[in-house]
Amino acid sequence: MEEVRAAIARASQGAVAALPQHCVAGGYAQATKPSQLEVSKSSQLEATFADVAKRFKEHALADGQNKLPWYTLLTFVKELRDAAKQNERTQAVRMLEDLSDKVPEMKQIVNSAISGKVELPPDYLPKRFEVLGPLIPCELEMAFHEAATKNIDPKYHAGCSNSRQGYVIEWAWKIRTAAEQMDRLEATCLLEHLSKDAAEMKEIVDGVLSGKVMLGSSSQVPYVFWGPLVPCKLQVHFEEVCRKMHEPKFLIGCSNTRQPMVLEWVRDLRKTARTMNIFETKCLLEHLSRQDVSPPPQAREVVSGVLTGTVQMGSSDPAGTVQVELGPLVQSELAKVFNRVASKKKEPSFVFECSNSQQPRVAEWVKELRGVIQKMDVSEAKQELQELLENSPDMKVVVDGVLSGSVAMGSSSLGFYDLGGPL
């Protein structure tokens, strides 16, 4: 231990390659002698490790504790990763692990450098980590880089929009498949990190995250829709229904006991679906019911019931009803107005205005939404507003105004627009 600590001290004073012999790059070469370039890169990683260890020790002495603030930890992690990436990745991981065995207080930094995850404070929720990706690239990162390489090849840009978008969908789906094998939120953070240095991948990454990828000009539909990578309420609800279909009380029942359950699930799913764009609801449900992860066969019956509004009942239903008609699936009036307002709120004419100009418009939108809610059951309207807000978090100020019945005036006034009090 003392040998390594002395080496770190010497490295901080300029003795770059001063770590013990068993820690240098040559110690990992079993059959061949490393080239001068490999030794140089290994020495750079060792020197970076020594420098980070020295600064960590200084920080610990100053604060009297070994716990780093997340932003300092992130800085150290990035420095180690930049140096490690100059080496063969597996070798770099082994070197870092060996070095940290000799300097145990560096374990947290090295583990974060290898995993590519730095934990964030609770007030950053729901984003739990800053995700840089594993030092040995994961499947998602490899799929991203493969698509990025092809995306700058001119041959993929030749031809009409139909051929170009065909490639985009293929790449987006491959990245999406890899992302779905990970924690969805971490996959989102990693994709956002990777795309920072690849502006030309924006369309593809946006497609992976939103689940919406545009089709060519001659397509009968404008886009494909797989649903957001971080599942929306309809996706979560559908997965719950599929789980219930595997429960014994559903599996062993006859049609008379099963079909009422199917009817209940269809009604619940339609309540959620009515808050969404109907075309996207149709695409999403059909996509979910075709998944390779195979929902039960009855899942397609549920999807059909949601979309058509028709549910077959049991063979000897006491009421003598062969099927229940729920009517066509249509977007609710509240959802239509809400989504129209959400679009207006994103327009430059609103975004770049000062608060004195924005707030009167917010008040008008609140009035419009409350006008629709007056024709609804208030508790149902509140629940639907919360569901709509989940898909459009930036509408919170409008929803708060709808619920409270008041909207603050602009920054040059302390007053409020009185819109009728709490809902």
Side-chain angles (χ1 to χ4, degrees), residues 367-378:
K367 281 182 190 176
E368 189 176 2
L369 285 165
R370 285 174 69 95
V372 175
I373 290 172
Q374 284 178 356
K375 305 169 189 174
M376 301 172 60
D377 176 84
V378 174

Side-chain angles (χ1 to χ4, degrees), residues 319-376:
T321 308
V322 178
Q323 63 185 30
V324 174
E325 297 288 347
L326 301 172
L329 180 64
V330 292
Q331 191 175 32
S332 72
E333 188 63 28
L334 180 57
K336 286 179 185 175
V337 175
F338 183 96
N339 290 330
R340 186 170 70 245
V341 168
S343 297
K344 288 179 180 177
K345 193 172 181 294
K346 292 176 183 175
E347 292 174 358
S349 59
F350 178 83
V351 173
F352 296 111
E353 287 285 353
C354 67
S355 63
N356 294 316
S357 300
Q358 287 181 340
Q359 293 307 98
R361 294 182 66 184
V362 170
E364 287 301 318
W365 295 334
V366 167
K367 281 182 190 176
E368 189 176 2
L369 285 165
R370 285 174 69 95
V372 175
I373 290 172
Q374 284 178 356
K375 305 169 189 174
M376 301 172 60

Side-chain angles (χ1 to χ4, degrees), residues 97-147:
E97 288 174 341
D98 282 358
L99 291 167
S100 66
D101 284 343
K102 303 298 180 183
V103 188
E105 58 265 34
M106 284 286 288
K107 279 282 186 188
Q108 181 192 13
I109 299 173
V110 167
N111 290 342
S112 292
I114 293 171
S115 69
K117 293 198 301 186
V118 175
E119 190 172 357
L120 296 174
D123 53 339
Y124 277 77
L125 289 174
K127 187 178 176 182
R128 303 187 302 273
F129 299 96
E130 186 73 32
V131 182
L132 310 173
L135 195 54
I136 298 176
C138 61
E139 189 178 341
L140 175 58
E141 188 172 350
M142 290 190 287
F144 177 91
H145 288 307
E146 181 186 346

Side-chain angles (χ1 to χ4, degrees), residues 169 172-173 176 207-208 211-213 224-228 235 284 287-288:
I169 289 173
W173 179 244
R176 174 69 179 244
V208 173
K212 181 189 293 188
V213 184
V224 295
F225 186 70
W226 309 314
Q235 288 167 277
L284 175 55
H287 166 69
L288 291 172

Side-chain angles (χ1 to χ4, degrees), residues 2-20 42-55 58 99 103:
E2 289 304 314
E3 185 183 11
V4 174
R5 292 185 188 280
I8 290 172
R10 289 195 298 275
S12 68
Q13 296 166 3
V16 167
L19 284 172
S42 299
S43 298
Q44 183 182 350
L45 177 55
E46 293 158 6
T48 302
F49 180 91
D51 179 57
V52 168
K54 174 179 176 291
R55 286 151 59 203
E58 290 170 352
L99 291 167
V103 188

Side-chain angles (χ1 to χ4, degrees), residues 241 245 250-251 258-259 262 265 295-303:
V241 166
M245 286 179 180
F250 182 82
L251 290 173
R258 286 160 63 151
Q259 292 311 104
V262 169
W265 295 333
Q298 295 83 0
R300 297 201 177 185
E301 181 186 357
V302 172
V303 169

